[in-house]
Amino acid sequence: MNQLITSNTKLTALLGYPVKQSLSALMHNTAFAYLNLDYIYIPFDIEQEDLQTTVAGLKTLNFTGFNLTMPHKQEIMQYLDEISEEAKLIGAVNTVVKENSRLIGYNTDGKGYIASLKEEKIPVKNQKVVMVGAGGAAKSIAIQLAMEGVEKILLLNRTIEPAEEIANTITQNTRGCGVKVQEFNQNNLQKALKEANILINCTPLGMYSMEDRSIIEDESILRKDLVISDLVYNPAETKLLRQGKNRGCKTINGLGMLIWQGAFAFKLWTGKDMPVDVVREKMLGRQVK
Ligand code: NAP
């Protein structure tokens, strides 16, 4: 971020409701400042009924692009001129780029998640993955995992329908990945973990204000060679990740996904690599330990 904002300053933004908990402005403005780029990132609280007029307004201003968060990731799609293949498949857009007055939508969540695993040297090809939760984050991750060559995905969810919808999208659009769906309960989870390589928590259980909750009731079902990935990043160590550590598992929280999905958006807007280590250092201070 440039200290002096002028008419040349390129604008980027987050549209969501509410946005006060978001770390995206800290992430992007830290990266702009570090690379001395004349850009600024502003979070805006935009209610659902105001999205269309907001987007029309942004189109006329000096915006390079913007991010979308809850509750706008699906609705935004009808206001865009073009949508990338992966965003169409996921059915949601989290990043928009303005190119010659045209708005192009992308989804960087799944790619960001895979990058966070790669950074930790966790392989995905030919792996067996168990995912708990079937919301927006689970959908983008499951589709990306299938595209990256995972062998099997088991989706466990309280409600079967959204999990089935994800499974159908994967089966109809990718090859070679077996997807199954089951109700989320401890019995199904225990059986599934016997042959899994990676367990991913895609529910809010364990996040700030639910710190005493975990998808696992009895940690003895966790094998030492299982990788445990929690999308929650606040607190940095959730109850699930503590349970995994107790059992000797490799554990990874959601901060890497948050940073890498942002890094892909940053690249789309600026053409430059986000200084990921600098950004991470800044964001670590904002997590509940
Ligand atoms: P979402 O669309 O609201 O989906 C939530 C999922 O969690 C649903 O499948 C829901 O099941 C399940 N769930 C909610 N409460 C539950 C409970 N008490 N017991 C069992 N299952 C429960 O949310 P989302 O956007 O996918 O986000 C999910 C989590 O990922 C959140 O904690 C979010 O903060 C985190 N996240 C992290 C990143 C990152 O960059 N690290 C990015 C996106 C999301 P039902 O379908 O049965 O309701």
Side-chain angles (χ1 to χ4, degrees):
M1 182 178 57
N2 197 321
Q3 290 291 329
L4 289 174
I5 295 167
T6 70
S7 58
N8 290 325
T9 303
K10 295 195 169 83
L11 308 174
T12 59
L14 173 65
L15 311 184
Y17 194 89
V19 293
K20 70 172 189 296
Q21 79 296 344
S22 171
L23 294 176
S24 292
L26 178 71
M27 171 163 64
H28 288 288
N29 288 325
T30 298
F32 293 148
Y34 185 81
L35 296 179
N36 209 16
L37 298 175
D38 191 8
Y39 281 70
I40 186 168
Y41 187 101
I42 313 162
F44 291 110
D45 262 330
I46 304 294
E47 296 202 40
Q48 208 148 5
E49 62 268 28
D50 296 328
L51 183 65
Q52 184 173 11
T53 44
T54 302
V55 172
L58 296 186
K59 238 177 152 171
T60 67
L61 297 170
N62 196 17
F63 270 82
T64 299
F66 50 91
N67 283 139
L68 288 308
T69 186
M70 292 253 288
H72 303 315
K73 286 184 177 185
Q74 283 91 30
E75 200 197 330
I76 186 67
M77 297 176 84
Q78 62 190 301
Y79 308 129
L80 303 177
D81 300 296
E82 194 180 322
I83 296 172
S84 73
E85 282 309 311
E86 85 277 352
K88 273 190 211 155
L89 221 51
I90 294 164
V93 162
N94 75 335
T95 302
V96 171
V97 179
K98 191 169 91 179
E99 263 180 41
N100 306 322
S101 302
R102 297 182 78 246
L103 297 181
I104 308 170
Y106 298 86
N107 193 310
T108 66
D109 283 336
K111 280 186 186 155
Y113 179 74
I114 302 291
S116 75
L117 291 188
K118 285 193 178 151
E119 181 179 45
E120 292 288 327
K121 310 220 170 352
I122 299 167
V124 292
K125 211 168 167 53
N126 302 325
Q127 301 295 290
K128 300 180 183 75
V129 179
V130 173
M131 300 178 65
V132 181
K139 188 170 188 186
S140 57
I141 289 171
I143 290 171
Q144 200 70 41
L145 283 170
M147 291 179 1
E148 300 277 335
V150 154
E151 185 187 322
K152 282 187 189 170
I153 299 175
L154 176 65
L155 293 163
L156 298 172
N157 201 39
R158 282 190 309 200
T159 326
I160 288 294
E161 290 77 17
E164 275 176 346
E165 200 226 302
I166 298 173
N168 289 340
T169 305
I170 291 174
T171 311
Q172 286 161 17
N173 295 285
T174 67
R175 282 170 180 226
C177 176
V179 202
K180 279 193 182 160
V181 168
Q182 283 176 359
E183 187 194 334
F184 168 51
N185 60 45
Q186 295 301 309
N187 195 24
N188 284 342
L189 186 53
Q190 176 169 13
K191 278 192 215 144
L193 289 183
K194 286 195 175 129
E195 62 153 8
N197 307 106
I198 305 174
L199 168 66
I200 312 173
N201 174 38
C202 304
T203 78
L205 296 185
M207 72 186 279
Y208 183 63
S209 82
M210 282 194 246
E211 291 102 324
D212 58 337
R213 311 269 315 263
S214 165
I215 53 169
I216 298 278
E217 279 172 16
D218 172 8
E219 68 186 38
S220 73
I221 68 174
L222 301 173
R223 292 186 339 263
K224 186 171 169 243
D225 56 342
L226 190 64
V227 171
I228 302 197
S229 157
D230 201 330
L231 298 197
V232 174
Y233 54 82
N234 205 0
E237 188 173 83
T238 58
K239 182 173 177 190
L240 172 66
L241 296 185
R242 270 198 307 283
Q243 291 171 311
K245 272 192 183 160
N246 291 342
R247 299 289 296 162
C249 304
K250 182 170 178 62
T251 59
I252 168 173
N253 72 21
L255 187 64
M257 173 179 174
L258 179 71
I259 292 174
W260 282 103
Q261 62 76 30
F264 285 114
F266 188 88
K267 182 96 179 183
L268 286 166
W269 294 330
T270 66
K272 302 209 181 300
D273 291 329
M274 180 184 264
V276 165
D277 292 339
V278 175
V279 165
R280 179 177 284 111
E281 192 58 37
K282 197 84 173 188
M283 291 171 79
L284 280 173
R286 297 298 181 99
Q287 286 172 299
V288 179
K289 295 289 182 272

